[in-house]
């Protein structure tokens, strides 16, 4: 069982930012820091005071993080980037908004006294004396202090203040991980109410000292408690009031949502997973059609999340194709018009979008990557709309005269025809490169649509169904926003964005099979029609080949791919090697191309060269950042591993930017998360000469001076599937719509034939919705009984099996002795069902129907179940109760493994 926290972050846009350049504009970008650790950098939007980013991220974090801060910066080519302002959101603020924080917020000025980070290790105790008690404060060490000097470090010392008396530690030069081990004593007076203040400072020879943080300790609390020792988080000075500055630095539009999940052991989710998988395997023949019910009860705003969670769950179970096929059938069953097929934001559409991103992202890069790169490299002015042509932006032709509007339109059409033709040609050649599971899914979609809309008049409908996902929901969005699909590292400028938009429109026209409706929308796209018509023929031929895959071919392709370890991440990096005991020089690096798979971290001189394994995946012990002063760069990481004989080794790898650094760290941490022997601490510096550069320790193999951050990762589409987390997220969603599921269950029960009883006593309900509701209750009880779960409202809970009498009367029955087992109650009109949990086993019972106006004098109650573990074998208990006339009160008592239970009607 583990508690997992994740942050969904969407940085939308900024407005009214101040000008930081002499041109009267700025080049803004955002840095996202969690507890002062940079984890995200957006792209730079050039020459604007109202930038739009529209970037989304999801970060997995330890539940102990404190704040997330957004810094808006102005990029400068020749000097240090300027800080425009920041927005800081404490964890408590995010936790108080279950639906997330969303909206505009003013940027505030960055105060150096508030930019603190790190922790300090203190030992505090009160010692008795002859005349008065004495307070002893031992300042041991600190870690992860803010670097305040140009060399990427600080010269920290500690100032301890109590009752006007101040004492200071020695200064540790060039370290953000200092060790002092110094003790100070203060005399305490009886009834003293003063606080002990421990401040950390960076010493400067010329200028004033820089504040690094402080800890304030209540002495009264310390006197009452026992001596304590531990790590204390450094706090800033009291925030200054700057209300008059609000709005002067501009505003930032954000969407931030914190999600804390307590993930139970896998066995707890097995009933839920098995039930959902059973429904998918049954398909449209299933009695309950749970997938349809889930879609009905899912709101529009959370449909994408639910679709992604379900898709990943079934992908891990090998049922993604069957799940999508079921959604296709459900969508087709309620669609009568072909022009509306798969055009809404249904569960089928959202699930297919997620599926293509999870299973087809590498395929997308292979097809679109070269075309998008060429558009970025050419930077040609392209425009087809005569109302938007600006001849001045084109420059002069070879005849030294401005081009006319007609020449601009013709040249633009030629450029777009070339890009569109290259894209369609690459797509036609990519049939074998398309993943087998994607091809099989499109085959099912093609066949289902052709069965639903047969006839010559619907000849193009199956093709349009495929292109509605492949072109309209996958390729076109990637062309318009290449950075969001990791095709480019930066956003396109205005000129390139327009070219990409026109190319995406052309791809949409091809995907719509060049229908008259698509041509009528924008008549100025007519110059591309010959290429579009030719592209329609190419696309239909491509789809025909794409869906022409049999089950045997699909299995063979999957088997071939399973024998190859797919790359988790790859790209060029600079490797630094340590040789011998000499000093580690910053120039000792070499550029190589690295491949990270589920087996090893390998490298080669070029992407196509022969690979050499550097580190076996099972030998990785930690992947962490290296402090800036070690190599003069803040984009260096270290991979700590053991060699073949078990000796610890370290590989230093340099990235080109903070995003690449965090992506590599995230990938390395995720593929090694289950390794044995993962480190809990490490050295963020290097061992240079005879000591570590971070904490100045002289023992090379000693314990690290900073804690590792193996749980801090960025979510990517190619992440390893986490079955338990996906099941927990689905459970959390179903719990939110449980009331609607119960209402649906009551509707089905009222429509059922009256007087229906189970085939045998204690038999579980046959309808899948009742089973789902029971599974949800079991999971709720598992969460409430877990050590980290929320405590029950009453420690000793009485098992009261609430029933619904036809007279709706109240009863005042005396309580039974309390029991400690969690209870579950279920109410249903017509007849009463009772079920509870006895230890790890379940028991259940059902009573015959109650009819209005008459009560049976003897109402048989049958309960069947198992005793708790280590007690007597399974027993069957039968109890007979009686109804007390008009009050409708009846009792049934039994003993099941020593537990008394009662039915109260």
């Amino acid at each position: 069982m583990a508690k997992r926290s994740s942050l969904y972050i969407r940085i939308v846009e900024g407005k009214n930012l101040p000008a930081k350049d002499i041109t009267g504009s700025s080049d803004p970008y955002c840095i996202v820091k969690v507890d002062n650790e940079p984890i995200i950098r957006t792209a730079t939007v050039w020459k604007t005071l109202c930038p739009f980013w529209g970037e989304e991220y999801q970060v997995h974090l330890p539940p102990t993080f404190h704040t997330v801060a957004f810094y808006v910066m102005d990029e400068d080519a020749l000097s240090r980037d300027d800080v425009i302002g920041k927005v800081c959101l404490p964890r408590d603020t995010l936790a108080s908004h279950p639906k997330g924080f969303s909206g505009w917020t003013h940027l505030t000025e960055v105060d150096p006294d508030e930019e603190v980070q790190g922790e300090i290790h203190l030992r505090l105790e009160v010692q008795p004396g002859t005349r008065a008690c004495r307070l002893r404060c031992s300042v041991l060490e600190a870690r992860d202090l803010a670097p305040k000097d140009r060399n990427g470090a600080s010269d920290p010392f500690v100032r301890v203040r109590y009752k006007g008396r101040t004492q200071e530690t020695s200064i540790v030069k060039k370290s953000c991980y200092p060790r002092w081990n110094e003790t100070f004593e203060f005399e305490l007076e009886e009834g003293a109410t003063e606080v002990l203040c421990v401040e950390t400072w960076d010493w400067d020879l010329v200028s004033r000292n820089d504040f690094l943080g402080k800890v304030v300790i209540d002495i009264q609390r310390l006197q009452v408690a026992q001596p304590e020792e531990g790590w204390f988080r450094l706090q800033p000075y009291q925030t200054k009031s700057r209300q008059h500055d609000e709005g002067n630095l501009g505003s930032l539009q954000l969407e931030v949502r914190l999600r804390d999940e307590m993930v139970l052991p896998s066995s707890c989710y097995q009933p839920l997973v098995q039930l959902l998988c059973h429904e998918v395997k049954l398909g449209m023949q299933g009695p309950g059609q749970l997938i349809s019910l889930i879609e009905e009860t899912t709101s529009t705003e959370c449909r994408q999340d639910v679709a992604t969670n379900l898709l990943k769950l079934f992908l891990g179970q090998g049922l993604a194709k069957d799940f999508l096929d079921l959604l296709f059938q459900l969508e087709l069953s309620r669609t009568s018009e072909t022009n509306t097929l798969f055009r809404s934001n249904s569960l089928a559409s959202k699930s297919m979008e997620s599926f293509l991103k999870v299973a087809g992202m590498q395929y997308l890069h292979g097809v679109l990557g070269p075309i998008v790169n060429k558009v970025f490299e050419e930077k040609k002015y392209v425009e087809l709309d005569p109302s938007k042509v600006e001849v001045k932006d084109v420059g002069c032709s070879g005849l030294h005269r401005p081009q006319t509007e007609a020449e601009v339109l013709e040249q633009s059409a030629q450029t777009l025809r070339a890009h569109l033709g290259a894209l369609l040609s690459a797509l036609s050649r990519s049939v074998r490169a398309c993943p087998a599971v994607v091809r099989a899914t499109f085959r099912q979609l093609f066949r289902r649509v052709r069965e639903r809309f047969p006839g010559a008049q619907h000849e193009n409908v199956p093709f349009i169904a495929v292109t509605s996902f492949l072109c309209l929901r996958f390729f076109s969005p990637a062309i318009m926003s290449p950075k969001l699909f990791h095709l480019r590292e930066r956003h396109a400028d205005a000129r390139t964005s327009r070219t990409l938009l026109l190319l995406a429109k052309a791809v949409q026209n091809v995907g719509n099979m060049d229908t008259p409706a698509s041509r009528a929308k924008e008549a100025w796209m007519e110059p591309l029609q010959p290429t579009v018509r030719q592209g329609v023929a190419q696309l239909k031929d491509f789809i025909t080949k794409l869906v022409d895959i049999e089950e045997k071919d699909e299995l063979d392709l999957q088997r071939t791919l399973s024998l190859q370890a797919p790359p988790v991440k790859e790209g060029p990096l600079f490797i630094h090697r340590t040789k011998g005991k000499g000093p580690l020089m910053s120039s000792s690096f070499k550029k190589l191309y690295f491949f990270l798979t589920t087996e090893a971290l390998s490298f080669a001189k070029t992407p196509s060269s022969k690979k050499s394994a550097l580190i076996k995946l099972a030998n990785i012990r930690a992947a962490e950042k290296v402090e800036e002063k070690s190599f003069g760069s803040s984009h260096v990481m270290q991979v700590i591993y053991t060699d073949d004989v078990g000796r610890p080794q370290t590989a230093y790898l340099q990235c080109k930017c903070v995003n690449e650094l965090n992506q590599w760290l995230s990938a390395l941490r995720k593929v090694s998360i289950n390794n044995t022997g993962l480190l809990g601490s490490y050295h963020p510096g290097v061992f240079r000469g005879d000591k570590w550069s971070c904490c100045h320790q002289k023992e090379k193999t000693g314990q690290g001076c900073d804690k590792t951050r193996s749980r801090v990762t960025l979510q990517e589409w190619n992440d390893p599937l986490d079955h338990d987390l996906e099941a927990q997220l689905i459970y959390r969603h179903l719990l939110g719509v449980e009331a609607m599921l119960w209402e649906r269950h009551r509707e089905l029960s009222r429509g059922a034939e009256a007087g229906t009883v189970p085939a045998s006593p204690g038999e579980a309900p046959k309808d899948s919705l009742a089973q789902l509701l029971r599974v949800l209750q079991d999971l709720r009880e598992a969460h409430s009984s877990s050590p980290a779960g929320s405590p029950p409202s009453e420690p000793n809970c009485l098992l009261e099996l609430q029933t619904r009498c036809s007279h709706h009367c109240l009863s005042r029955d005396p309580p039974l002795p309390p029991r400690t087992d969690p209870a579950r109650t279920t109410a249903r009109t017509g007849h009463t069902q009772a079920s509870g949990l006895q230890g790890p086993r379940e028991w259940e019972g059902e009573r015959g129907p109650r009819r209005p106006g008459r009560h049976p004098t003897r109402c048989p109650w049958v309960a069947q179940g198992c005793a708790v573990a280590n007690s007597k074998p399974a027993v069957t208990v039968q109890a007979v109760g009686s109804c007390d006339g008009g009050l409708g009160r009846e009792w049934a008592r039994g003993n099941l493994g020593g537990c008394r239970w009662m039915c109260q009607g």
Side-chain angles (χ1 to χ4, degrees), residues 816 861 863 877-879 892-903:
L816 288 178
W861 182 275
V877 179
Q878 180 169 349
R893 284 196 178 95
N895 187 284
L896 186 60
C899 171
R900 301 180 66 192
W901 52 271
M902 172 188 73
C903 172

mmCIF file with all atom_site columns, all heavy atoms in Angstrom, residues 816 861 863 877-879 892-903:
data_model
loop_
_atom_site.group_PDB
_atom_site.id
_atom_site.type_symbol
_atom_site.label_atom_id
_atom_site.label_alt_id
_atom_site.label_comp_id
_atom_site.label_asym_id
_atom_site.label_entity_id
_atom_site.label_seq_id
_atom_site.pdbx_PDB_ins_code
_atom_site.Cartn_x
_atom_site.Cartn_y
_atom_site.Cartn_z
_atom_site.occupancy
_atom_site.B_iso_or_equiv
_atom_site.pdbx_formal_charge
_atom_site.auth_seq_id
_atom_site.auth_comp_id
_atom_site.auth_asym_id
_atom_site.auth_atom_id
_atom_site.pdbx_PDB_model_num
ATOM 1   N N   . LEU A 1 816 ? -27.449 -4.010  20.130 1.00 0.00 ? 816 LEU A N   1
ATOM 2   C CA  . LEU A 1 816 ? -26.727 -5.235  20.430 1.00 0.00 ? 816 LEU A CA  1
ATOM 3   C C   . LEU A 1 816 ? -25.311 -4.883  20.864 1.00 0.00 ? 816 LEU A C   1
ATOM 4   O O   . LEU A 1 816 ? -24.848 -3.765  20.657 1.00 0.00 ? 816 LEU A O   1
ATOM 5   C CB  . LEU A 1 816 ? -26.677 -6.123  19.188 1.00 0.00 ? 816 LEU A CB  1
ATOM 6   C CG  . LEU A 1 816 ? -28.010 -6.780  18.792 1.00 0.00 ? 816 LEU A CG  1
ATOM 7   C CD1 . LEU A 1 816 ? -27.800 -7.573  17.514 1.00 0.00 ? 816 LEU A CD1 1
ATOM 8   C CD2 . LEU A 1 816 ? -28.524 -7.682  19.887 1.00 0.00 ? 816 LEU A CD2 1
ATOM 9   N N   . TRP A 1 861 ? -35.156 -16.207 7.688  1.00 0.00 ? 861 TRP A N   1
ATOM 10  C CA  . TRP A 1 861 ? -33.941 -15.487 7.295  1.00 0.00 ? 861 TRP A CA  1
ATOM 11  C C   . TRP A 1 861 ? -32.812 -16.496 7.199  1.00 0.00 ? 861 TRP A C   1
ATOM 12  O O   . TRP A 1 861 ? -32.516 -17.212 8.139  1.00 0.00 ? 861 TRP A O   1
ATOM 13  C CB  . TRP A 1 861 ? -33.593 -14.417 8.334  1.00 0.00 ? 861 TRP A CB  1
ATOM 14  C CG  . TRP A 1 861 ? -32.384 -13.635 7.946  1.00 0.00 ? 861 TRP A CG  1
ATOM 15  C CD1 . TRP A 1 861 ? -31.100 -13.954 8.169  1.00 0.00 ? 861 TRP A CD1 1
ATOM 16  C CD2 . TRP A 1 861 ? -32.358 -12.420 7.229  1.00 0.00 ? 861 TRP A CD2 1
ATOM 17  N NE1 . TRP A 1 861 ? -30.271 -13.022 7.652  1.00 0.00 ? 861 TRP A NE1 1
ATOM 18  C CE2 . TRP A 1 861 ? -31.011 -12.048 7.060  1.00 0.00 ? 861 TRP A CE2 1
ATOM 19  C CE3 . TRP A 1 861 ? -33.342 -11.578 6.697  1.00 0.00 ? 861 TRP A CE3 1
ATOM 20  C CZ2 . TRP A 1 861 ? -30.620 -10.906 6.400  1.00 0.00 ? 861 TRP A CZ2 1
ATOM 21  C CZ3 . TRP A 1 861 ? -32.964 -10.427 6.051  1.00 0.00 ? 861 TRP A CZ3 1
ATOM 22  C CH2 . TRP A 1 861 ? -31.610 -10.094 5.899  1.00 0.00 ? 861 TRP A CH2 1
ATOM 23  N N   . ALA A 1 863 ? -28.783 -17.058 6.419  1.00 0.00 ? 863 ALA A N   1
ATOM 24  C CA  . ALA A 1 863 ? -27.461 -16.457 6.266  1.00 0.00 ? 863 ALA A CA  1
ATOM 25  C C   . ALA A 1 863 ? -26.450 -17.567 6.090  1.00 0.00 ? 863 ALA A C   1
ATOM 26  O O   . ALA A 1 863 ? -26.511 -18.581 6.765  1.00 0.00 ? 863 ALA A O   1
ATOM 27  C CB  . ALA A 1 863 ? -27.111 -15.608 7.480  1.00 0.00 ? 863 ALA A CB  1
ATOM 28  N N   . VAL A 1 877 ? -25.761 -20.810 9.054  1.00 0.00 ? 877 VAL A N   1
ATOM 29  C CA  . VAL A 1 877 ? -26.599 -20.377 10.165 1.00 0.00 ? 877 VAL A CA  1
ATOM 30  C C   . VAL A 1 877 ? -27.978 -20.038 9.623  1.00 0.00 ? 877 VAL A C   1
ATOM 31  O O   . VAL A 1 877 ? -28.092 -19.349 8.602  1.00 0.00 ? 877 VAL A O   1
ATOM 32  C CB  . VAL A 1 877 ? -25.982 -19.141 10.858 1.00 0.00 ? 877 VAL A CB  1
ATOM 33  C CG1 . VAL A 1 877 ? -26.875 -18.689 12.001 1.00 0.00 ? 877 VAL A CG1 1
ATOM 34  C CG2 . VAL A 1 877 ? -24.604 -19.485 11.378 1.00 0.00 ? 877 VAL A CG2 1
ATOM 35  N N   . GLN A 1 878 ? -29.007 -20.513 10.252 1.00 0.00 ? 878 GLN A N   1
ATOM 36  C CA  . GLN A 1 878 ? -30.354 -20.145 9.868  1.00 0.00 ? 878 GLN A CA  1
ATOM 37  C C   . GLN A 1 878 ? -31.051 -19.615 11.100 1.00 0.00 ? 878 GLN A C   1
ATOM 38  O O   . GLN A 1 878 ? -31.026 -20.225 12.160 1.00 0.00 ? 878 GLN A O   1
ATOM 39  C CB  . GLN A 1 878 ? -31.106 -21.350 9.287  1.00 0.00 ? 878 GLN A CB  1
ATOM 40  C CG  . GLN A 1 878 ? -32.515 -20.993 8.866  1.00 0.00 ? 878 GLN A CG  1
ATOM 41  C CD  . GLN A 1 878 ? -33.153 -22.101 8.064  1.00 0.00 ? 878 GLN A CD  1
ATOM 42  O OE1 . GLN A 1 878 ? -32.470 -23.027 7.664  1.00 0.00 ? 878 GLN A OE1 1
ATOM 43  N NE2 . GLN A 1 878 ? -34.450 -22.005 7.846  1.00 0.00 ? 878 GLN A NE2 1
ATOM 44  N N   . ALA A 1 879 ? -31.650 -18.421 10.956 1.00 0.00 ? 879 ALA A N   1
ATOM 45  C CA  . ALA A 1 879 ? -32.347 -17.808 12.086 1.00 0.00 ? 879 ALA A CA  1
ATOM 46  C C   . ALA A 1 879 ? -33.758 -17.465 11.665 1.00 0.00 ? 879 ALA A C   1
ATOM 47  O O   . ALA A 1 879 ? -34.007 -17.110 10.521 1.00 0.00 ? 879 ALA A O   1
ATOM 48  C CB  . ALA A 1 879 ? -31.619 -16.548 12.532 1.00 0.00 ? 879 ALA A CB  1
ATOM 49  N N   . ALA A 1 892 ? -33.742 -10.872 13.910 1.00 0.00 ? 892 ALA A N   1
ATOM 50  C CA  . ALA A 1 892 ? -33.105 -12.129 13.510 1.00 0.00 ? 892 ALA A CA  1
ATOM 51  C C   . ALA A 1 892 ? -31.723 -12.111 14.097 1.00 0.00 ? 892 ALA A C   1
ATOM 52  O O   . ALA A 1 892 ? -30.945 -11.205 13.818 1.00 0.00 ? 892 ALA A O   1
ATOM 53  C CB  . ALA A 1 892 ? -33.052 -12.260 12.000 1.00 0.00 ? 892 ALA A CB  1
ATOM 54  N N   . ARG A 1 893 ? -31.414 -13.032 14.928 1.00 0.00 ? 893 ARG A N   1
ATOM 55  C CA  . ARG A 1 893 ? -30.115 -13.079 15.565 1.00 0.00 ? 893 ARG A CA  1
ATOM 56  C C   . ARG A 1 893 ? -29.429 -14.380 15.192 1.00 0.00 ? 893 ARG A C   1
ATOM 57  O O   . ARG A 1 893 ? -30.054 -15.424 15.104 1.00 0.00 ? 893 ARG A O   1
ATOM 58  C CB  . ARG A 1 893 ? -30.232 -12.987 17.078 1.00 0.00 ? 893 ARG A CB  1
ATOM 59  C CG  . ARG A 1 893 ? -30.537 -11.589 17.591 1.00 0.00 ? 893 ARG A CG  1
ATOM 60  C CD  . ARG A 1 893 ? -30.244 -11.540 19.081 1.00 0.00 ? 893 ARG A CD  1
ATOM 61  N NE  . ARG A 1 893 ? -30.474 -10.216 19.628 1.00 0.00 ? 893 ARG A NE  1
ATOM 62  C CZ  . ARG A 1 893 ? -31.616 -9.852  20.215 1.00 0.00 ? 893 ARG A CZ  1
ATOM 63  N NH1 . ARG A 1 893 ? -32.609 -10.703 20.297 1.00 0.00 ? 893 ARG A NH1 1
ATOM 64  N NH2 . ARG A 1 893 ? -31.732 -8.630  20.693 1.00 0.00 ? 893 ARG A NH2 1
ATOM 65  N N   . GLY A 1 894 ? -28.151 -14.347 15.024 1.00 0.00 ? 894 GLY A N   1
ATOM 66  C CA  . GLY A 1 894 ? -27.394 -15.556 14.761 1.00 0.00 ? 894 GLY A CA  1
ATOM 67  C C   . GLY A 1 894 ? -25.979 -15.379 15.246 1.00 0.00 ? 894 GLY A C   1
ATOM 68  O O   . GLY A 1 894 ? -25.591 -14.312 15.710 1.00 0.00 ? 894 GLY A O   1
ATOM 69  N N   . ASN A 1 895 ? -25.222 -16.409 15.160 1.00 0.00 ? 895 ASN A N   1
ATOM 70  C CA  . ASN A 1 895 ? -23.831 -16.349 15.555 1.00 0.00 ? 895 ASN A CA  1
ATOM 71  C C   . ASN A 1 895 ? -22.990 -16.913 14.424 1.00 0.00 ? 895 ASN A C   1
ATOM 72  O O   . ASN A 1 895 ? -23.197 -18.046 14.014 1.00 0.00 ? 895 ASN A O   1
ATOM 73  C CB  . ASN A 1 895 ? -23.605 -17.162 16.830 1.00 0.00 ? 895 ASN A CB  1
ATOM 74  C CG  . ASN A 1 895 ? -22.191 -16.982 17.366 1.00 0.00 ? 895 ASN A CG  1
ATOM 75  O OD1 . ASN A 1 895 ? -21.267 -17.556 16.817 1.00 0.00 ? 895 ASN A OD1 1
ATOM 76  N ND2 . ASN A 1 895 ? -22.057 -16.211 18.429 1.00 0.00 ? 895 ASN A ND2 1
ATOM 77  N N   . LEU A 1 896 ? -22.094 -16.063 13.900 1.00 0.00 ? 896 LEU A N   1
ATOM 78  C CA  . LEU A 1 896 ? -21.246 -16.464 12.782 1.00 0.00 ? 896 LEU A CA  1
ATOM 79  C C   . LEU A 1 896 ? -19.805 -16.244 13.185 1.00 0.00 ? 896 LEU A C   1
ATOM 80  O O   . LEU A 1 896 ? -19.324 -15.135 13.194 1.00 0.00 ? 896 LEU A O   1
ATOM 81  C CB  . LEU A 1 896 ? -21.591 -15.645 11.538 1.00 0.00 ? 896 LEU A CB  1
ATOM 82  C CG  . LEU A 1 896 ? -20.883 -16.046 10.250 1.00 0.00 ? 896 LEU A CG  1
ATOM 83  C CD1 . LEU A 1 896 ? -21.212 -17.472 9.877  1.00 0.00 ? 896 LEU A CD1 1
ATOM 84  C CD2 . LEU A 1 896 ? -21.294 -15.114 9.107  1.00 0.00 ? 896 LEU A CD2 1
ATOM 85  N N   . GLY A 1 897 ? -19.127 -17.296 13.550 1.00 0.00 ? 897 GLY A N   1
ATOM 86  C CA  . GLY A 1 897 ? -17.739 -17.164 13.951 1.00 0.00 ? 897 GLY A CA  1
ATOM 87  C C   . GLY A 1 897 ? -17.581 -16.274 15.176 1.00 0.00 ? 897 GLY A C   1
ATOM 88  O O   . GLY A 1 897 ? -16.615 -15.545 15.305 1.00 0.00 ? 897 GLY A O   1
ATOM 89  N N   . GLY A 1 898 ? -18.569 -16.284 16.071 1.00 0.00 ? 898 GLY A N   1
ATOM 90  C CA  . GLY A 1 898 ? -18.475 -15.470 17.268 1.00 0.00 ? 898 GLY A CA  1
ATOM 91  C C   . GLY A 1 898 ? -19.001 -14.066 17.089 1.00 0.00 ? 898 GLY A C   1
ATOM 92  O O   . GLY A 1 898 ? -18.945 -13.278 18.010 1.00 0.00 ? 898 GLY A O   1
ATOM 93  N N   . CYS A 1 899 ? -19.575 -13.730 15.926 1.00 0.00 ? 899 CYS A N   1
ATOM 94  C CA  . CYS A 1 899 ? -20.055 -12.375 15.677 1.00 0.00 ? 899 CYS A CA  1
ATOM 95  C C   . CYS A 1 899 ? -21.574 -12.371 15.661 1.00 0.00 ? 899 CYS A C   1
ATOM 96  O O   . CYS A 1 899 ? -22.194 -13.109 14.895 1.00 0.00 ? 899 CYS A O   1
ATOM 97  C CB  . CYS A 1 899 ? -19.504 -11.870 14.335 1.00 0.00 ? 899 CYS A CB  1
ATOM 98  S SG  . CYS A 1 899 ? -20.234 -10.313 13.820 1.00 0.00 ? 899 CYS A SG  1
ATOM 99  N N   . ARG A 1 900 ? -22.199 -11.525 16.476 1.00 0.00 ? 900 ARG A N   1
ATOM 100 C CA  . ARG A 1 900 ? -23.648 -11.444 16.510 1.00 0.00 ? 900 ARG A CA  1
ATOM 101 C C   . ARG A 1 900 ? -24.108 -10.469 15.439 1.00 0.00 ? 900 ARG A C   1
ATOM 102 O O   . ARG A 1 900 ? -23.493 -9.457  15.200 1.00 0.00 ? 900 ARG A O   1
ATOM 103 C CB  . ARG A 1 900 ? -24.115 -10.977 17.882 1.00 0.00 ? 900 ARG A CB  1
ATOM 104 C CG  . ARG A 1 900 ? -23.666 -11.879 19.006 1.00 0.00 ? 900 ARG A CG  1
ATOM 105 C CD  . ARG A 1 900 ? -24.165 -11.371 20.318 1.00 0.00 ? 900 ARG A CD  1
ATOM 106 N NE  . ARG A 1 900 ? -25.625 -11.439 20.407 1.00 0.00 ? 900 ARG A NE  1
ATOM 107 C CZ  . ARG A 1 900 ? -26.322 -10.842 21.364 1.00 0.00 ? 900 ARG A CZ  1
ATOM 108 N NH1 . ARG A 1 900 ? -25.720 -10.132 22.278 1.00 0.00 ? 900 ARG A NH1 1
ATOM 109 N NH2 . ARG A 1 900 ? -27.639 -10.952 21.396 1.00 0.00 ? 900 ARG A NH2 1
ATOM 110 N N   . TRP A 1 901 ? -25.218 -10.749 14.816 1.00 0.00 ? 901 TRP A N   1
ATOM 111 C CA  . TRP A 1 901 ? -25.750 -9.852  13.796 1.00 0.00 ? 901 TRP A CA  1
ATOM 112 C C   . TRP A 1 901 ? -27.259 -9.762  13.954 1.00 0.00 ? 901 TRP A C   1
ATOM 113 O O   . TRP A 1 901 ? -27.897 -10.612 14.544 1.00 0.00 ? 901 TRP A O   1
ATOM 114 C CB  . TRP A 1 901 ? -25.368 -10.299 12.386 1.00 0.00 ? 901 TRP A CB  1
ATOM 115 C CG  . TRP A 1 901 ? -25.676 -11.730 12.060 1.00 0.00 ? 901 TRP A CG  1
ATOM 116 C CD1 . TRP A 1 901 ? -24.874 -12.802 12.258 1.00 0.00 ? 901 TRP A CD1 1
ATOM 117 C CD2 . TRP A 1 901 ? -26.877 -12.221 11.483 1.00 0.00 ? 901 TRP A CD2 1
ATOM 118 N NE1 . TRP A 1 901 ? -25.479 -13.934 11.847 1.00 0.00 ? 901 TRP A NE1 1
ATOM 119 C CE2 . TRP A 1 901 ? -26.710 -13.611 11.348 1.00 0.00 ? 901 TRP A CE2 1
ATOM 120 C CE3 . TRP A 1 901 ? -28.059 -11.645 11.061 1.00 0.00 ? 901 TRP A CE3 1
ATOM 121 C CZ2 . TRP A 1 901 ? -27.702 -14.425 10.821 1.00 0.00 ? 901 TRP A CZ2 1
ATOM 122 C CZ3 . TRP A 1 901 ? -29.040 -12.440 10.518 1.00 0.00 ? 901 TRP A CZ3 1
ATOM 123 C CH2 . TRP A 1 901 ? -28.865 -13.827 10.407 1.00 0.00 ? 901 TRP A CH2 1
ATOM 124 N N   . MET A 1 902 ? -27.815 -8.724  13.409 1.00 0.00 ? 902 MET A N   1
ATOM 125 C CA  . MET A 1 902 ? -29.233 -8.450  13.618 1.00 0.00 ? 902 MET A CA  1
ATOM 126 C C   . MET A 1 902 ? -29.816 -7.849  12.360 1.00 0.00 ? 902 MET A C   1
ATOM 127 O O   . MET A 1 902 ? -29.156 -7.077  11.669 1.00 0.00 ? 902 MET A O   1
ATOM 128 C CB  . MET A 1 902 ? -29.396 -7.460  14.778 1.00 0.00 ? 902 MET A CB  1
ATOM 129 C CG  . MET A 1 902 ? -30.821 -6.942  14.964 1.00 0.00 ? 902 MET A CG  1
ATOM 130 S SD  . MET A 1 902 ? -30.870 -5.630  16.176 1.00 0.00 ? 902 MET A SD  1
ATOM 131 C CE  . MET A 1 902 ? -30.123 -4.319  15.236 1.00 0.00 ? 902 MET A CE  1
ATOM 132 N N   . CYS A 1 903 ? -31.026 -8.165  12.038 1.00 0.00 ? 903 CYS A N   1
ATOM 133 C CA  . CYS A 1 903 ? -31.763 -7.504  10.970 1.00 0.00 ? 903 CYS A CA  1
ATOM 134 C C   . CYS A 1 903 ? -32.851 -6.666  11.600 1.00 0.00 ? 903 CYS A C   1
ATOM 135 O O   . CYS A 1 903 ? -33.569 -7.125  12.485 1.00 0.00 ? 903 CYS A O   1
ATOM 136 C CB  . CYS A 1 903 ? -32.376 -8.519  10.005 1.00 0.00 ? 903 CYS A CB  1
ATOM 137 S SG  . CYS A 1 903 ? -33.478 -7.730  8.835  1.00 0.00 ? 903 CYS A SG  1
#
